């Protein structure tokens, strides 16, 4: 369970404290967990849902034994607190075994080996986005150690998961995922999450450079923001939480997040859950990919590393991107056709049921007035019931004090950042939303005007400036809708 206001990691109550492991009963059935995930619009932490997963024992030491000296790729970043985000395109990379990582992470001398050029006191290492199917290609049985079916997704396990292993300070830049929602199981060490709602997108100054499919990055280092260059960021509503081992974090669709390791070694497992909205999002992503690749390749055809994330290994030619776009549009219409057939079948079934039950309705009309009122009152109470409690902890609005003002993770006192606001934070979130949305157009204009650090008298517009306008999520959403409407005339 996340620490309550005023507590430290040492004094915070543990999730499920006082219960014997053998007596543990999971607080939510798979059906209820899925219902929560599909309806909840704010991040939350599930507790006591993975205590029996074999993957809870996946420490780095255990994984090093399982992988038997297999090399994996680590991203190397600097332990610094300046205002510029450390995108993957600016990081170094090494191929190393987990044994070599552990030796380096223990500050053992590394005159030789893959980490020899990286002083442990100045750098962090992150093995991120490691897909199970690639990492454990010859050990398929291990997929069963991750049991996402407990959250209402039958058959989903490690095969649909990714592994994240990092040292102190390892982090991902602030971004949102274009597709799905996210479930994250913390195995070893702690991670601090900084989250921002989708409505705050204009205040996060989105960019698609560097380009990575399904990742919209922020130009801001959210733990040390440059408010002179990005003044709208002060309006963003930061939600913070520290994820502890055994807990599962739910990140709703399009919530921005910056994630940092705050312990010497961290291990996480995540799975992106597909959503209905993903079909149009894939069309938007295909449009974005085509525009980014066309303009950036024309600008410098021989230097893709400057703007293309290392995670992108597919060809970026215009022909390939056209095929990608056409596949996305075709898949969308295939889904629409299938959904329409299912919808028609459901309507027919409902009509038949209504005819069969028609005679029963007359009998039910004789139910007493008091009984009917009690039923309605009961339904109202049920709808108003909150899913939150000791086993589902909401991630609430964080302190307005910026982490950088406390010295950051390398200079701070090591205490957890804990969200403030209590039960009224949800109401505050709702009342702010309309005001935020009414100002979003002004925010976009101001965001674009601050894209360039050049003096106002200079009017040079770079390719990146143009791209930030063309592939702004709000713009690509409109383009995708127009494209879909045009194509629908043929069906």
């Amino acid at each position: 369970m996340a620490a309550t206001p005023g507590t430290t990691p040492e004094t915070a109550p543990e999730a499920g404290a006082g219960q014997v492991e053998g007596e543990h009963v999971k607080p939510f059935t798979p059906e209820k967990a899925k219902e929560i995930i599909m309806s909840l619009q704010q991040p939350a932490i599930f507790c006591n849902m993975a205590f029996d997963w074999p993957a809870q024992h996946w420490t780095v030491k255990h994984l090093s034994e399982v992988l038997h000296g297999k090399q994996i790729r680590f991203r190397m970043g600097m332990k610094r607190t300046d205002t510029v985000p450390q995108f993957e395109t600016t990081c170094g990379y090494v191929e190393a075994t987990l044994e070599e990582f552990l030796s380096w992470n223990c500050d053992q001398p590394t005159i030789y080996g893959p980490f020899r050029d990286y002083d442990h006191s100045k750098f962090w290492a992150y093995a991120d986005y490691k897909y199970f199917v690639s990492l454990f290609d010859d050990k398929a049985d291990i997929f069963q150690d991750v049991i996402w079916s407990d959250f209402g997704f039958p058959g989903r396990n490690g095969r649909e998961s990714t592994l994240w292993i990092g040292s102190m300070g390892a982090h991902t830049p602030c971004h949102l995922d274009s597709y799905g929602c996210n479930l994250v199981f913390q195995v070893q060490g702690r991670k601090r999450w900084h989250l921002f709602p989708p409505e705050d997108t204009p205040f996060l100054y989105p960019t698609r450079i560097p380009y990575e499919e399904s990742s919209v990055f922020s130009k801001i280092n959210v733990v040390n923001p440059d408010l002179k260059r990005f003044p709208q960021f002060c309006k963003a509503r930061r939600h913070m939480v520290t994820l502890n081992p055994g807990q599962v974090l739910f990140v709703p669709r399009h919530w921005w997040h910056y994630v940092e390791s705050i312990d010497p070694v961290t291990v996480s497992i995540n799975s992106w859950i597909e959503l209905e909205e993903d079909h149009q999002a894939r069309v938007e992503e295909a449009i974005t990919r085509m525009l980014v690749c066309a303009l950036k390749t024309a600008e410098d055809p021989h230097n893709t590393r400057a703007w293309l994330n290392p995670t992108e290994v597919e060809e970026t030619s215009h022909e390939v991107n056209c095929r990608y776009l056409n596949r996305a549009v075709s898949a969308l219409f295939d889904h629409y056709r299938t959904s329409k057939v299912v919808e028609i079948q459901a309507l027919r079934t409902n009509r038949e049921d209504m005819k069969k039950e028609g005679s029963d309705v007359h009998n039910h009309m004789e139910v007493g007035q008091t009984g009917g009122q009690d039923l309605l009152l009961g339904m109202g109470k049920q709808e108003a019931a909150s899913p939150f409690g000791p086993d589902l902890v909401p991630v609430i609005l964080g302190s307005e004090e910026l982490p950088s003002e406390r010295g950051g993770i390398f200079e701070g006192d090591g205490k957890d950042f804990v969200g403030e606001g209590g039960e009224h934070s949800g109401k505050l979130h709702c009342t702010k939303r309309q005001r935020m949305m009414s100002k979003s157009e002004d925010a976009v204009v101001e965001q674009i005007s601050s894209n360039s650090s050049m003096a106002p008298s200079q009017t040079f517009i770079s390719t990146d400036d143009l791209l930030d306008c063309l592939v702004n999520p709000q713009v690509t959403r409109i383009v995708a809708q127009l494209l879909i409407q045009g194509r629908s005339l043929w069906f």
Side-chain angles (χ1 to χ4, degrees):
M1 183 183 299
T4 52
T7 62
T8 66
E10 290 75 19
T11 61
E14 294 294 329
Q19 295 181 359
V20 179
E21 182 169 330
E23 298 175 354
H24 269 179
V25 175
K26 298 198 174 183
F28 304 105
T29 64
E31 294 76 19
K32 183 60 179 178
K34 184 175 183 179
E35 178 188 328
I36 291 171
I37 289 168
M38 291 303 177
S39 61
L40 201 57
Q41 297 300 309
Q42 73 178 99
I45 292 178
F46 285 90
C47 303
N48 298 315
M49 285 293 287
F51 60 82
D52 59 347
W53 290 15
Q56 68 174 320
H57 304 296
W58 283 18
T59 62
V60 176
K61 189 175 187 308
H62 171 75
L63 289 171
S64 69
E65 296 169 356
V66 172
L67 291 172
H68 296 303
K70 183 173 184 175
Q71 286 195 328
I72 58 178
R73 194 184 202 197
F74 286 87
R75 178 161 59 93
M76 307 301 297
M78 293 196 69
K79 295 179 178 179
R80 64 186 188 192
T81 55
D82 60 21
T83 60
V84 181
Q86 287 194 64
F87 293 122
E88 283 94 324
T89 49
T90 64
C91 292
Y93 292 86
V94 300
E95 300 284 338
T97 66
L98 288 180
E99 291 90 348
E100 290 169 327
F101 165 73
L102 286 172
S103 296
W104 172 80
N105 203 41
C106 291
D107 250 346
Q108 295 183 9
T110 53
I111 300 175
Y112 306 102
F115 293 99
R116 61 185 177 276
D117 296 327
Y118 297 96
D119 185 338
H120 182 262
S121 65
K122 297 179 181 178
F123 288 87
W124 48 256
Y126 208 7
D128 49 1
Y129 294 103
K130 303 307 175 191
Y131 287 91
F132 277 45
V133 290
S134 300
L135 197 59
F136 305 109
D137 52 354
D138 57 342
K139 301 176 180 64
D141 291 346
I142 206 169
F143 297 158
Q144 309 306 319
D145 287 7
V146 181
I147 314 172
W148 297 118
S149 56
D150 282 349
F151 288 86
F153 303 98
R156 182 176 287 266
N157 53 37
R159 187 177 295 278
E160 295 83 20
S161 304
T162 53
L163 184 68
W164 309 69
I165 300 171
S167 65
M168 174 84 78
H171 65 268
T172 52
C174 187
H175 68 284
L176 67 80
D177 299 315
S178 303
Y179 311 144
C181 59
N182 198 359
L183 288 174
V184 186
F185 174 44
Q186 192 62 26
V187 179
Q188 181 180 5
R190 297 169 301 151
K191 281 187 171 179
R192 182 169 295 133
W193 286 70
H194 303 245
L195 301 114
F196 303 86
E199 296 82 9
D200 289 358
T201 292
F203 312 138
L204 272 296
Y205 298 82
T207 181
R208 295 313 301 265
I209 305 297
Y211 176 77
E212 176 181 87
E213 183 183 356
S214 79
S215 293
V216 182
F217 291 104
S218 169
K219 295 180 181 180
I220 302 169
N221 179 357
V222 298
V223 296
N224 190 22
D226 183 347
L227 294 179
K228 289 184 178 179
R229 186 178 180 192
F230 306 113
Q232 291 287 330
F233 179 66
C234 66
K235 298 179 182 179
R237 292 160 292 175
R238 184 193 304 263
H239 296 61
M240 289 191 296
V241 70
T242 297
L243 193 63
N244 296 303
Q247 297 177 334
V248 175
L249 174 66
F250 164 64
V251 182
R253 181 176 187 261
H254 284 183
W255 272 72
W256 292 84
H257 47 284
Y258 172 99
V259 191
E260 55 184 338
S261 298
I262 59 172
D263 278 330
V265 179
T266 62
V267 178
S268 309
I269 299 169
N270 89 294
S271 187
W272 286 282
I273 308 299
E274 301 81 4
L275 298 173
E276 178 74 19
E277 298 88 342
D278 291 350
H279 296 284
Q280 178 169 322
R282 293 186 188 282
V283 177
E284 296 171 16
E285 193 62 33
I287 294 168
T288 300
R289 182 183 182 89
M290 181 174 286
L291 286 170
V292 171
C293 292
L295 289 177
K296 294 300 290 183
T297 302
E299 180 183 56
D300 189 352
H302 306 296
N303 189 25
T304 58
R305 192 182 186 282
W307 57 270
L308 190 66
N309 241 27
T311 53
E312 291 296 307
V313 295
E314 293 185 12
E315 188 183 346
T316 57
S317 70
H318 189 68
E319 180 183 1
V320 169
N321 291 336
C322 278
R323 289 202 298 268
Y324 185 84
L325 175 59
N326 278 278
R327 284 200 301 268
V329 172
S330 297
L332 174 72
F333 281 108
D334 287 344
H335 173 72
Y336 281 170
R337 289 192 197 96
T338 304
S339 299
K340 197 67 178 176
V341 170
V342 172
E343 183 181 338
I344 292 171
Q345 290 175 341
L347 286 172
R348 287 174 179 169
T349 303
N350 288 340
R351 288 195 195 102
E352 292 173 2
D353 291 342
M354 288 174 68
K355 289 178 182 177
K356 292 177 182 177
E357 296 172 3
S359 59
D360 294 335
V361 172
H362 177 73
N363 296 331
H364 287 298
M365 293 293 287
E366 297 178 2
V367 174
Q369 179 95 13
T370 305
Q373 289 178 345
D374 289 343
L375 177 62
L376 290 173
L377 287 172
M379 288 175 63
K381 290 177 182 177
Q382 184 177 1
E383 289 176 1
S386 169
F388 299 120
D391 296 301
L392 183 67
V393 183
V395 179
I396 59 178
L397 198 62
S399 169
E400 293 183 0
E401 181 183 359
L402 295 175
S404 59
E405 294 172 356
R406 308 184 218 213
I409 62 172
F410 304 114
E411 301 171 359
D413 59 7
K415 294 182 180 179
D416 283 345
F417 293 129
V418 180
E420 298 176 357
E423 63 179 3
H424 297 293
S425 294
K427 295 180 182 178
L428 178 65
H429 177 94
C430 293
T431 55
K432 278 187 176 181
R433 179 173 299 184
Q434 289 182 337
R435 297 202 302 270
M436 293 292 187
M437 292 302 289
S438 66
K439 297 178 181 178
S440 63
E441 290 184 3
D442 294 336
V444 171
V445 172
E446 186 165 346
Q447 169 204 325
I448 292 170
S449 68
S450 63
N451 282 345
S452 175
S453 59
M454 304 179 71
S457 60
Q458 295 177 288
T459 57
F460 174 75
I461 297 176
S462 69
T463 304
D464 289 1
D465 293 332
L466 178 60
L467 276 171
D468 284 333
C469 298
L470 291 176
V471 298
N472 183 288
Q474 293 172 300
V475 175
T476 54
R477 189 168 301 117
I478 294 171
V479 173
Q481 291 169 351
L482 291 171
L483 185 64
I484 292 165
Q485 289 171 11
R487 289 290 296 169
S488 66
L489 297 175
W490 295 92
F491 293 93

